[in-house]
Coordinates of all heavy atoms in Angstrom, one line a residue:
L1 N 16.9 3.4 25.6 CA 16.8 4.8 26.0 C 17.8 5.1 27.0 O 18.3 6.3 27.1 CB 15.4 5.1 26.5 CG 14.2 5.1 25.5 CD1 12.9 5.3 26.2 CD2 14.5 6.2 24.5
H2 N 18.2 4.2 27.8 CA 19.2 4.4 28.8 C 20.5 4.8 28.1 O 21.2 5.7 28.5 CB 19.4 3.2 29.7 CG 20.5 3.3 30.7 ND1 20.5 4.1 31.8 CD2 21.7 2.7 30.7 CE1 21.6 4.1 32.4 NE2 22.4 3.2 31.8
L3 N 20.9 4.0 27.1 CA 22.2 4.3 26.4 C 22.2 5.6 25.7 O 23.2 6.3 25.7 CB 22.5 3.2 25.4 CG 22.9 1.8 26.0 CD1 23.0 0.8 24.9 CD2 24.1 1.9 26.8
I4 N 21.1 6.0 25.1 CA 21.0 7.3 24.4 C 21.2 8.4 25.3 O 21.6 9.5 25.0 CB 19.8 7.4 23.5 CG1 20.0 8.4 22.4 CG2 18.5 7.7 24.3 CD1 19.0 8.4 21.3
G5 N 20.7 8.2 26.6 CA 20.9 9.3 27.6 C 22.3 9.6 27.9 O 22.6 10.7 28.5
S6 N 23.2 8.7 27.6 CA 24.6 9.0 27.9 C 25.3 9.8 26.8 O 26.4 10.3 27.0 CB 25.4 7.7 28.0 OG 25.4 7.0 26.8
L7 N 24.6 10.1 25.7 CA 25.2 10.9 24.6 C 25.3 12.3 25.1 O 24.4 12.9 25.6 CB 24.3 10.9 23.4 CG 24.2 9.6 22.6 CD1 23.2 9.7 21.5 CD2 25.6 9.1 22.1
S8 N 26.5 12.9 24.9 CA 26.7 14.3 25.3 C 26.6 15.2 24.0 O 26.5 16.5 24.2 CB 28.0 14.5 25.9 OG 29.1 14.1 25.1
S9 N 26.5 14.7 22.9 CA 26.4 15.5 21.7 C 25.0 15.8 21.4 O 24.1 15.1 21.8 CB 27.0 14.7 20.5 OG 26.4 13.5 20.3
P10 N 24.7 16.9 20.6 CA 23.3 17.2 20.2 C 22.7 16.1 19.4 O 23.4 15.4 18.6 CB 23.5 18.5 19.4 CG 24.8 19.1 19.8 CD 25.7 17.9 20.2
V11 N 21.4 15.9 19.5 CA 20.7 14.9 18.8 C 19.5 15.5 18.1 O 18.7 16.2 18.7 CB 20.3 13.7 19.7 CG1 19.4 12.7 19.0 CG2 21.5 13.1 20.4
L12 N 19.3 15.2 16.8 CA 18.2 15.7 16.1 C 17.2 14.5 15.9 O 17.6 13.4 15.4 CB 18.6 16.2 14.7 CG 17.4 16.6 13.7 CD1 16.6 17.7 14.3 CD2 18.0 16.9 12.4
V13 N 16.0 14.7 16.3 CA 15.0 13.6 16.2 C 13.9 14.2 15.2 O 13.3 15.2 15.5 CB 14.3 13.3 17.6 CG1 13.2 12.2 17.4 CG2 15.4 12.8 18.6
V14 N 13.7 13.5 14.1 CA 12.7 13.9 13.1 C 11.7 12.8 13.1 O 12.0 11.6 12.9 CB 13.4 14.1 11.7 CG1 12.3 14.5 10.7 CG2 14.5 15.1 11.8
H15 N 10.4 13.2 13.2 CA 9.4 12.2 13.2 C 8.1 12.7 12.5 O 7.7 13.8 12.6 CB 9.0 11.9 14.7 CG 8.3 10.5 14.8 ND1 7.0 10.3 14.4 CD2 8.8 9.3 15.3 CE1 6.7 9.0 14.7 NE2 7.8 8.4 15.2
G16 N 7.5 11.8 11.7 CA 6.3 12.1 11.0 C 5.1 12.0 12.0 O 5.0 11.1 12.7
E17 N 4.3 13.0 11.9 CA 3.1 13.1 12.9 C 2.1 12.0 12.6 O 1.3 11.7 13.5 CB 2.5 14.5 12.8 CG 3.3 15.5 13.5 CD 2.6 16.9 13.5 OE1 1.6 17.1 12.8 OE2 3.1 17.8 14.3
D18 N 2.0 11.5 11.4 CA 1.1 10.5 11.0 C 1.7 9.1 10.8 O 1.2 8.3 10.0 CB 0.3 10.9 9.7 CG -0.5 12.2 10.0 OD1 -0.9 12.5 11.1 OD2 -0.8 12.9 9.0
D19 N 2.8 8.8 11.5 CA 3.5 7.6 11.3 C 2.8 6.4 11.9 O 2.6 6.4 13.2 CB 4.9 7.7 12.0 CG 5.8 6.5 11.7 OD1 5.3 5.5 11.4 OD2 7.0 6.7 11.9
P20 N 2.3 5.5 11.1 CA 1.6 4.3 11.7 C 2.5 3.2 12.2 O 2.0 2.3 12.9 CB 0.8 3.8 10.5 CG 1.6 4.1 9.3 CD 2.3 5.4 9.6
T21 N 3.8 3.3 11.9 CA 4.7 2.3 12.2 C 5.4 2.5 13.6 O 5.4 1.6 14.4 CB 5.9 2.2 11.2 OG1 5.3 2.1 9.9 CG2 6.8 1.1 11.4
V22 N 5.8 3.8 13.8 CA 6.4 4.1 15.1 C 5.6 5.3 15.7 O 5.5 6.4 15.1 CB 7.9 4.6 14.9 CG1 8.5 5.0 16.3 CG2 8.7 3.5 14.3
P23 N 5.0 5.1 16.9 CA 4.2 6.1 17.5 C 5.0 7.4 17.8 O 6.2 7.4 18.1 CB 3.7 5.5 18.8 CG 4.0 4.1 18.7 CD 5.1 3.9 17.7
V24 N 4.3 8.6 17.6 CA 4.9 9.9 17.9 C 5.5 9.9 19.3 O 6.5 10.5 19.6 CB 3.9 11.0 17.6 CG1 4.5 12.3 18.0 CG2 3.5 11.0 16.2
D25 N 4.8 9.2 20.2 CA 5.3 9.2 21.6 C 6.7 8.6 21.7 O 7.4 9.0 22.7 CB 4.3 8.3 22.5 CG 3.0 8.9 22.7 OD1 2.8 10.1 22.3 OD2 2.1 8.2 23.1
S26 N 7.1 7.8 20.8 CA 8.5 7.3 20.8 C 9.5 8.4 20.6 O 10.6 8.4 21.3 CB 8.7 6.2 19.7 OG 7.8 5.1 20.0
A27 N 9.2 9.3 19.7 CA 10.1 10.5 19.5 C 10.2 11.3 20.8 O 11.2 11.8 21.2 CB 9.6 11.3 18.4
D28 N 9.0 11.5 21.5 CA 9.0 12.2 22.7 C 9.9 11.5 23.8 O 10.6 12.2 24.6 CB 7.6 12.4 23.2 CG 6.7 13.2 22.3 OD1 7.3 14.1 21.6 OD2 5.5 13.0 22.3
E29 N 9.8 10.2 23.8 CA 10.6 9.5 24.8 C 12.1 9.7 24.5 O 12.9 9.8 25.5 CB 10.3 8.0 24.7 CG 8.9 7.6 25.3 CD 8.7 6.1 25.3 OE1 9.6 5.3 25.5 OE2 7.5 5.8 25.0
I30 N 12.5 9.6 23.3 CA 13.9 9.9 22.9 C 14.3 11.3 23.3 O 15.4 11.5 23.9 CB 14.1 9.6 21.4 CG1 13.9 8.1 21.1 CG2 15.5 10.1 21.0 CD1 13.9 7.9 19.6
V31 N 13.5 12.2 23.0 CA 13.8 13.6 23.4 C 14.0 13.8 24.9 O 14.9 14.5 25.3 CB 12.7 14.6 22.8 CG1 12.8 16.0 23.4 CG2 12.9 14.6 21.3
R32 N 13.1 13.1 25.7 CA 13.3 13.2 27.1 C 14.5 12.5 27.6 O 15.1 12.9 28.7 CB 12.0 12.6 27.8 CG 10.8 13.5 27.8 CD 9.7 13.0 28.7 NE 9.2 11.7 28.3 CZ 8.2 11.5 27.5 NH1 7.7 12.5 26.8 NH2 7.9 10.2 27.2
A33 N 15.0 11.5 26.9 CA 16.2 10.7 27.3 C 17.5 11.4 27.0 O 18.5 11.1 27.7 CB 16.1 9.4 26.7
V34 N 17.6 12.2 26.0 CA 18.9 12.7 25.6 C 19.2 14.1 26.2 O 18.2 14.8 26.7 CB 19.0 12.9 24.0 CG1 19.0 11.5 23.4 CG2 18.0 13.8 23.5
Q35 N 20.4 14.4 26.3 CA 20.8 15.7 27.0 C 20.6 16.9 26.2 O 20.3 18.0 26.7 CB 22.3 15.6 27.4 CG 22.6 14.4 28.3 CD 24.1 14.3 28.6 OE1 24.8 15.3 28.6 NE2 24.5 13.1 28.8
H36 N 20.8 16.9 24.9 CA 20.7 18.1 24.0 C 19.8 17.8 22.8 O 20.4 17.7 21.7 CB 22.1 18.5 23.6 CG 23.0 18.8 24.8 ND1 22.9 19.8 25.6 CD2 24.0 18.0 25.2 CE1 23.8 19.8 26.5 NE2 24.5 18.7 26.3
P37 N 18.5 17.6 23.0 CA 17.7 17.2 21.9 C 17.1 18.4 21.1 O 16.9 19.5 21.6 CB 16.5 16.5 22.6 CG 16.4 17.2 23.9 CD 17.8 17.6 24.3
T38 N 16.8 18.1 19.9 CA 16.0 18.9 19.0 C 15.0 18.0 18.4 O 15.3 17.0 17.8 CB 16.8 19.7 17.9 OG1 17.8 20.5 18.6 CG2 15.9 20.5 17.0
L39 N 13.7 18.3 18.5 CA 12.6 17.5 17.9 C 12.0 18.3 16.8 O 11.6 19.5 17.0 CB 11.6 17.2 19.0 CG 10.3 16.5 18.5 CD1 10.6 15.1 17.8 CD2 9.3 16.3 19.6
V40 N 11.9 17.6 15.7 CA 11.1 18.2 14.5 C 10.0 17.2 14.2 O 10.3 16.0 13.9 CB 12.0 18.4 13.3 CG1 11.2 18.8 12.1 CG2 13.1 19.4 13.6
R41 N 8.8 17.6 14.3 CA 7.6 16.8 13.9 C 7.2 17.3 12.5 O 7.0 18.5 12.4 CB 6.5 17.0 14.9 CG 6.8 16.3 16.2 CD 5.6 16.4 17.1 NE 5.8 15.8 18.4 CZ 4.9 15.3 19.2 NH1 3.6 15.5 18.8 NH2 5.2 14.8 20.3
V42 N 7.1 16.4 11.6 CA 6.7 16.7 10.3 C 5.2 16.5 10.1 O 4.8 15.3 10.1 CB 7.5 16.0 9.2 CG1 7.2 16.4 7.8 CG2 9.0 16.2 9.5
P43 N 4.4 17.5 9.8 CA 3.0 17.4 9.7 C 2.6 16.5 8.4 O 3.3 16.6 7.4 CB 2.4 18.8 9.5 CG 3.5 19.7 10.0 CD 4.8 18.9 9.8
N44 N 1.6 15.8 8.6 CA 1.0 14.9 7.4 C 2.1 14.0 6.9 O 2.0 13.6 5.7 CB 0.5 15.8 6.3 CG -0.5 16.8 6.8 OD1 -1.5 16.4 7.5 ND2 -0.4 18.1 6.5
A45 N 3.0 13.5 7.7 CA 4.1 12.6 7.3 C 3.9 11.3 7.9 O 3.7 11.2 9.1 CB 5.4 13.2 7.6
D46 N 4.1 10.2 7.1 CA 4.0 8.9 7.6 C 5.5 8.4 7.9 O 6.4 9.3 8.0 CB 3.4 7.9 6.6 CG 4.0 8.0 5.2 OD1 5.1 8.5 5.0 OD2 3.4 7.4 4.2
H47 N 5.7 7.1 8.0 CA 7.0 6.6 8.3 C 8.1 6.9 7.3 O 9.3 7.0 7.7 CB 6.9 5.1 8.6 CG 8.1 4.5 9.2 ND1 8.4 4.7 10.5 CD2 9.0 3.6 8.8 CE1 9.5 4.1 10.9 NE2 9.9 3.4 9.8
V48 N 7.7 7.1 6.1 CA 8.7 7.4 5.0 C 8.5 8.7 4.4 O 8.9 9.0 3.3 CB 8.7 6.2 3.9 CG1 9.2 4.9 4.5 CG2 7.3 6.1 3.3
F49 N 7.8 9.6 5.1 CA 7.6 11.0 4.7 C 6.9 11.1 3.4 O 7.4 11.9 2.5 CB 8.9 11.8 4.8 CG 9.5 11.7 6.2 CD1 10.6 10.9 6.4 CD2 9.0 12.4 7.3 CE1 11.2 10.8 7.7 CE2 9.5 12.3 8.5 CZ 10.6 11.5 8.8
K50 N 5.9 10.2 3.1 CA 5.2 10.3 1.9 C 6.0 10.1 0.7 O 5.8 10.7 -0.4 CB 4.3 11.5 1.8 CG 3.4 11.8 2.9 CD 2.1 11.2 2.7 CE 1.1 11.7 3.8 NZ -0.1 10.9 3.9
T51 N 7.1 9.3 0.8 CA 8.0 9.1 -0.3 C 8.0 7.6 -0.7 O 8.1 6.7 0.1 CB 9.4 9.5 0.2 OG1 9.4 10.8 0.7 CG2 10.5 9.3 -0.9
P52 N 8.0 7.4 -2.1 CA 8.0 6.0 -2.5 C 9.4 5.4 -2.3 O 10.4 6.1 -2.3 CB 7.7 6.1 -4.0 CG 8.1 7.5 -4.4 CD 7.9 8.3 -3.1
N53 N 9.4 4.1 -2.2 CA 10.7 3.4 -2.0 C 10.7 2.2 -3.0 O 9.8 1.4 -3.0 CB 10.8 2.8 -0.6 CG 12.2 2.2 -0.3 OD1 13.1 2.3 -1.1 ND2 12.3 1.6 0.8
P54 N 11.7 2.2 -3.9 CA 12.8 3.1 -4.1 C 12.3 4.5 -4.6 O 11.3 4.6 -5.3 CB 13.7 2.4 -5.0 CG 12.8 1.6 -5.8 CD 11.7 1.2 -4.9
F55 N 13.1 5.5 -4.3 CA 12.8 6.8 -4.8 C 13.2 6.9 -6.2 O 14.3 6.5 -6.6 CB 13.6 7.9 -4.0 CG 13.2 9.3 -4.2 CD1 12.1 9.8 -3.7 CD2 14.0 10.1 -5.0 CE1 11.8 11.2 -3.9 CE2 13.7 11.4 -5.3 CZ 12.5 11.9 -4.7
P56 N 12.3 7.4 -7.1 CA 12.6 7.5 -8.5 C 13.7 8.5 -8.8 O 13.8 9.5 -8.2 CB 11.3 8.0 -9.2 CG 10.3 8.0 -8.1 CD 10.9 7.9 -6.8
V57 N 14.6 8.1 -9.7 CA 15.7 8.9 -10.1 C 15.3 10.3 -10.5 O 15.9 11.3 -10.2 CB 16.6 8.2 -11.2 CG1 17.7 9.1 -11.6 CG2 17.1 6.9 -10.7
D58 N 14.2 10.4 -11.2 CA 13.7 11.7 -11.7 C 12.6 12.2 -10.9 O 11.9 13.2 -11.3 CB 13.3 11.5 -13.2 CG 12.1 10.5 -13.3 OD1 11.9 9.8 -12.4 OD2 11.5 10.5 -14.4
G59 N 12.4 11.7 -9.7 CA 11.3 12.1 -8.8 C 11.6 13.4 -8.1 O 12.7 13.8 -7.8
E60 N 10.5 14.0 -7.7 CA 10.6 15.2 -6.9 C 10.2 14.8 -5.4 O 9.4 14.0 -5.2 CB 9.5 16.2 -7.3 CG 9.9 16.9 -8.7 CD 11.1 17.8 -8.6 OE1 11.2 18.5 -7.5 OE2 11.9 17.8 -9.5
P61 N 10.9 15.4 -4.4 CA 10.6 15.0 -3.1 C 9.2 15.5 -2.7 O 8.8 16.5 -3.1 CB 11.7 15.7 -2.3 CG 12.2 16.8 -3.1 CD 12.0 16.4 -4.5
S62 N 8.6 14.7 -1.8 CA 7.3 15.1 -1.3 C 7.5 16.4 -0.5 O 8.6 16.7 0.0 CB 6.7 14.0 -0.4 OG 7.5 13.8 0.7
T63 N 6.4 17.1 -0.2 CA 6.5 18.2 0.7 C 7.1 17.8 2.1 O 7.9 18.5 2.6 CB 5.1 18.8 0.9 OG1 4.6 19.2 -0.4 CG2 5.1 20.0 1.8
Q64 N 6.7 16.6 2.5 CA 7.2 16.2 3.8 C 8.7 15.8 3.8 O 9.4 16.2 4.7 CB 6.3 14.9 4.2 CG 4.9 15.2 4.5 CD 4.0 15.3 3.2 OE1 4.5 15.1 2.1 NE2 2.8 15.5 3.4
L65 N 9.1 15.2 2.7 CA 10.5 14.9 2.6 C 11.4 16.2 2.5 O 12.4 16.3 3.1 CB 10.8 13.9 1.5 CG 12.3 13.5 1.3 CD1 12.8 12.8 2.6 CD2 12.4 12.6 0.1
A66 N 10.9 17.1 1.7 CA 11.5 18.4 1.6 C 11.6 19.1 3.0 O 12.7 19.7 3.3 CB 10.8 19.3 0.6
A67 N 10.6 18.9 3.8 CA 10.6 19.5 5.1 C 11.7 18.8 6.0 O 12.4 19.5 6.8 CB 9.3 19.4 5.8
V68 N 11.9 17.5 5.8 CA 12.9 16.8 6.6 C 14.3 17.3 6.1 O 15.1 17.6 7.0 CB 12.8 15.3 6.3 CG1 14.0 14.5 6.9 CG2 11.5 14.7 6.9
W69 N 14.5 17.4 4.8 CA 15.8 17.9 4.3 C 16.1 19.3 4.9 O 17.2 19.6 5.3 CB 15.8 17.9 2.8 CG 15.9 16.5 2.2 CD1 16.2 15.3 2.8 CD2 15.7 16.2 0.9 NE1 16.1 14.3 1.9 CE2 15.8 14.8 0.7 CE3 15.3 16.9 -0.3 CZ2 15.7 14.1 -0.5 CZ3 15.2 16.3 -1.5 CH2 15.3 14.9 -1.6
S70 N 15.1 20.1 4.9 CA 15.3 21.5 5.3 C 15.6 21.5 6.8 O 16.5 22.3 7.3 CB 14.0 22.3 5.1 OG 14.1 23.6 5.6
A71 N 14.9 20.7 7.6 CA 15.2 20.6 9.0 C 16.6 20.1 9.3 O 17.3 20.7 10.2 CB 14.1 19.7 9.7
I72 N 17.0 19.1 8.6 CA 18.4 18.6 8.8 C 19.4 19.7 8.4 O 20.4 19.9 9.2 CB 18.6 17.3 8.0 CG1 17.7 16.2 8.5 CG2 20.1 16.9 8.0 CD1 17.7 14.9 7.7
D73 N 19.2 20.3 7.3 CA 20.1 21.4 6.9 C 20.2 22.5 7.9 O 21.3 22.9 8.3 CB 19.7 21.9 5.5 CG 20.6 23.0 5.0 OD1 21.8 22.8 4.9 OD2 20.1 24.1 4.7
S74 N 19.1 23.0 8.4 CA 19.0 24.0 9.4 C 19.7 23.6 10.7 O 20.5 24.4 11.3 CB 17.6 24.5 9.7 OG 17.0 25.0 8.5
W75 N 19.4 22.4 11.1 CA 20.0 21.9 12.3 C 21.5 21.8 12.2 O 22.3 22.2 13.1 CB 19.4 20.5 12.7 CG 19.8 20.0 14.0 CD1 19.4 20.3 15.2 CD2 20.9 19.0 14.2 NE1 20.0 19.6 16.2 CE2 20.9 18.8 15.6 CE3 21.7 18.3 13.4 CZ2 21.8 17.9 16.2 CZ3 22.6 17.4 14.0 CH2 22.6 17.2 15.3
L76 N 22.0 21.2 11.1 CA 23.4 21.1 10.9 C 24.1 22.5 10.8 O 25.2 22.7 11.4 CB 23.8 20.3 9.6 CG 23.5 18.8 9.7 CD1 23.7 18.1 8.3 CD2 24.5 18.2 10.7
Q77 N 23.5 23.4 10.1 CA 24.0 24.8 10.0 C 24.2 25.4 11.4 O 25.2 26.0 11.8 CB 23.2 25.7 9.1 CG 23.2 25.3 7.7 CD 24.6 25.6 7.1 OE1 25.3 26.5 7.5 NE2 24.9 24.8 6.1
N78 N 23.1 25.2 12.2 CA 23.2 25.7 13.6 C 24.3 25.0 14.4 O 24.9 25.7 15.2 CB 21.8 25.5 14.3 CG 21.7 26.1 15.6 OD1 22.1 27.3 15.8 ND2 21.2 25.4 16.6
Q79 N 24.5 23.7 14.2 CA 25.5 23.0 15.0 C 26.9 23.5 14.5 O 27.8 23.6 15.4 CB 25.4 21.5 14.8 CG 24.1 20.9 15.3 CD 23.8 21.3 16.7 OE1 24.6 21.1 17.6 NE2 22.6 21.8 17.0
L80 N 27.1 23.7 13.3 CA 28.4 24.1 12.7 C 28.7 25.5 13.0 O 29.9 25.9 13.3 CB 28.5 23.8 11.2 CG 28.3 22.3 10.9 CD1 28.2 22.1 9.4 CD2 29.5 21.5 11.4
V81 N 27.7 26.4 12.9 CA 28.0 27.8 13.0 C 27.8 28.2 14.5 O 28.5 29.1 15.0 CB 27.0 28.6 12.1 CG1 27.2 30.1 12.3 CG2 27.3 28.3 10.6
G82 N 26.8 27.5 15.1 CA 26.6 27.7 16.5 C 26.0 28.9 16.9 O 25.9 29.5 17.9

């Protein structure tokens, strides 16, 4: 956490609210440590956003994974357009 605090660039943190692997509090700690954070919590999402691994070639993204993609796209658009 000390090293991430030295980042001067914006940081997007995306975390599933129902992640049994990494506690949600870990995302909060990262957000508190960085200078320019954006936190997106994905409701009803586990560690892999309710997505099978490997993802099927013909598969549809879960609602949770689609929310992650949307959050990343919006964040990047905001960073690029400002």
Side-chain angles (χ1 to χ4, degrees):
L1 290 176
H2 174 72
L3 289 176
I4 200 169
S6 66
L7 293 175
S8 60
S9 60
V11 175
L12 174 63
V13 179
V14 180
H15 202 286
E17 289 184 346
D18 296 335
D19 187 340
T21 307
V22 178
V24 176
D25 291 347
S26 296
D28 295 331
E29 288 181 39
I30 293 168
V31 166
R32 284 192 299 273
V34 298
Q35 297 176 33
H36 305 286
T38 299
L39 173 61
V40 175
R41 289 184 179 202
V42 182
N44 304 311
D46 58 13
H47 192 68
V48 294
F49 305 103
K50 305 270 187 193
T51 302
N53 187 7
F55 188 78
V57 174
D58 60 347
E60 289 292 321
S62 65
T63 302
Q64 295 81 1
L65 184 58
V68 171
W69 288 347
S70 177
I72 293 169
D73 181 57
S74 295
W75 186 82
L76 286 172
Q77 290 294 330
N78 187 44
Q79 298 307 308
L80 296 173
V81 177

